[in-house]
Amino acid sequence: MDTDALTAGVLKELRAPHPAPVLSLTMPTHRRAPENAQDAVRLRNLVTEAANRLDADPRISREDAAATKRQLDLAVSELDPRRALDALVLFAGPDEHRIWSLPRTVPERVVLADTYLTRNLVAAKAQARPYWVLTVAADHATLWSGTPDALRPEKTGGFPLTAPREDPNPQREERIGDTPSTFTDEETRTFFRTVDEKLRGVLAADPRPLYLVGLAPALSLLDDVGESAAAAVGRVAKGAPADLSPSRLAAELRPALDAQTVEAAAGVRARLDTARGGKLFAGGLDEVWSAVQEGRVALLAVEEHFRRSARTTGGHVELVPEDEAVTAGDPDVYEDFVDELAEAALDSGAEVVFTVDGALSQYDGIAAALRY
């Protein structure tokens, strides 16, 4: 799965405790040759390590260990190297397996616990900044799921939608199309009400920034008949044919996406400046971690490639020197501490955003606006 499939419902399911430990395997991957040649070897080594850990763990019955190893083998057999991104996450239990490709690197780990290791997924989704695109015309509407790496049509929430055309009148057929008069037609208005209803359901289940693409009369009608269009952060007044390709849609969206990125970055800076002025600000890993632990963070801002290994001692964060040898599985050391922190912040209801590298250099790459 891709990170845009990590809905609140899926995340809740992944975090549900299991009666016996389940397996999480994470490793960095490569998108292209020749670097990706090493991925298969690394994966085989981790699978061997996972099998040995399953057999040696006294908490896991022999039957469950064997079943989990079978699920892990099935997961490996389903991998497609052509779809590799920057990281691979495999989950396996006695009766299931799941595969995630992430656009954000992760440490190499094998973890046995009563829940799956989700913090890499959560941090990757926050960094990927998923968004929705609705392309709409008089007789069809398509919902697209977008990230910086991909844009694809989604079959969810009732989409795609096609307007019913029950009237066999030839004159009615001649009127069908994206002409101004079409959008005053009551059947078209009824169809757009359905589009609005379905879109509101999608946004409620998985809130993301929304972009609208369609001719100006279509977007105006969507405004008139419902509420969903009001949430849009960007609009592209272009025709949206039913066979619109992902590459063409991506090109049409680029100016709106770039403008939103600039606007969002300015908004983050303004919120952090306001927080500093009101003494509701934390900067640096130690201060931010303390605030996250207390549930006081409203906005967590992290530079896109900021990564640190750290240990927590007495409620404070201590960075692990790069030349220090760390024992694999050491419970006191977080190899991916930033991902751990991001997941904890999201759990407490904070908003997590990733900024361009250098934007938070005066705070060592991480800062937060606090609730109190």
Side-chain angles (χ1 to χ4, degrees):
M1 296 185 186
D2 297 322
T3 48
D4 56 352
L6 186 67
T7 63
V10 170
L11 186 59
K12 181 178 179 181
E13 183 181 342
L14 292 174
R15 287 174 169 168
H18 292 254
V22 288
L23 175 72
S24 300
L25 183 155
T26 70
M27 59 171 275
T29 54
H30 301 82
R31 302 185 184 217
R32 299 176 182 84
E35 292 84 2
N36 60 4
Q38 64 186 278
D39 294 347
V41 176
R42 176 177 284 177
L43 179 58
R44 281 199 302 271
N45 292 339
L46 284 176
V47 168
T48 299
E49 178 187 343
N52 293 337
R53 295 269 299 275
L54 285 163
D55 288 337
D57 196 315
R59 300 171 297 172
I60 304 175
S61 69
R62 182 175 299 178
E63 293 77 12
D64 281 349
T68 301
K69 285 189 284 185
R70 285 195 295 270
Q71 291 292 338
L72 181 59
D73 289 340
L74 284 173
V76 172
S77 70
E78 294 171 8
L79 293 176
D80 183 355
R82 295 170 298 179
R83 298 197 62 196
L85 297 177
D86 300 313
L88 172 67
V89 175
L90 298 182
F91 296 147
D95 55 2
E96 68 171 352
H97 64 271
R98 308 197 192 201
I99 304 167
W100 299 83
S101 294
L102 308 183
R104 172 183 171 87
T105 190
V106 301
E108 190 175 286
R109 300 187 70 185
V110 173
V111 176
L112 290 173
D114 63 352
T115 64
Y116 291 119
L117 184 69
T118 59
R119 62 174 173 266
N120 301 121
L121 303 185
V122 171
K125 179 170 182 176
Q127 182 181 20
R129 300 181 295 276
Y131 56 89
W132 294 119
V133 183
L134 180 75
T135 55
V136 63
D139 57 355
H140 62 267
T142 302
L143 185 70
W144 302 72
S145 178
T147 68
D149 293 288
L151 184 61
R152 64 169 185 267
E154 277 288 303
K155 293 183 178 180
T156 187
F159 289 98
L161 290 169
T162 302
R165 296 301 185 191
E166 300 177 356
D167 188 349
N169 187 333
Q171 292 181 340
R172 166 65 182 164
E173 292 295 326
E174 290 176 4
R175 294 198 304 270
I176 294 175
D178 285 336
T179 62
S181 60
T182 302
F183 296 100
T184 62
D185 185 281
E186 187 55 38
E187 287 186 32
T188 303
R189 293 181 66 87
T190 299
F191 172 60
F192 271 53
R193 291 188 189 100
T194 301
V195 172
D196 174 77
E197 177 187 354
K198 301 297 185 183
L199 183 57
R200 279 188 282 121
V202 169
L203 294 175
D206 188 4
R208 305 183 191 178
L210 170 68
Y211 295 85
L212 301 176
V213 179
L215 292 177
L219 302 185
S220 178
L221 179 56
L222 198 59
D223 282 325
D224 288 345
V225 301
E227 305 170 2
S228 60
V233 299
R235 298 177 179 228
V236 179
K238 294 277 189 177
D243 59 352
L244 185 62
S245 69
S247 58
R248 182 178 166 190
L249 177 58
E252 298 287 5
L253 276 173
R254 180 49 50 199
L257 291 172
D258 290 345
Q260 178 59 24
T261 298
V262 172
E263 182 177 338
V268 169
R269 288 194 300 271
R271 289 178 66 179
L272 292 176
D273 288 343
T274 300
R276 288 186 66 190
K279 297 183 179 179
L280 293 171
F281 177 85
L285 269 179
D286 194 27
E287 283 189 18
V288 172
W289 174 248
S290 296
V292 166
Q293 292 295 97
E294 295 165 359
R296 296 193 294 129
V297 173
L299 170 71
L300 174 65
V302 186
E303 289 185 3
E304 193 161 358
H305 294 100
F306 177 69
R307 299 190 65 80
R308 292 291 186 275
S309 294
R311 59 170 51 89
T312 55
T313 304
H316 294 282
V317 176
E318 177 187 337
L319 295 179
V320 176
E322 294 183 5
D323 59 353
E324 178 180 325
V326 176
T327 303
D330 185 340
D332 296 325
V333 174
Y334 297 96
E335 296 175 79
D336 49 357
F337 187 75
V338 176
D339 286 359
E340 176 81 16
L341 195 152
E343 184 177 35
L346 287 164
D347 280 345
S348 70
E351 178 184 358
V352 177
V353 297
F354 285 81
T355 69
V356 296
D357 293 340
L360 303 170
S361 57
Q362 66 270 44
Y363 312 119
D364 295 327
I366 188 168
L370 308 180
R371 297 189 178 100
Y372 59 91

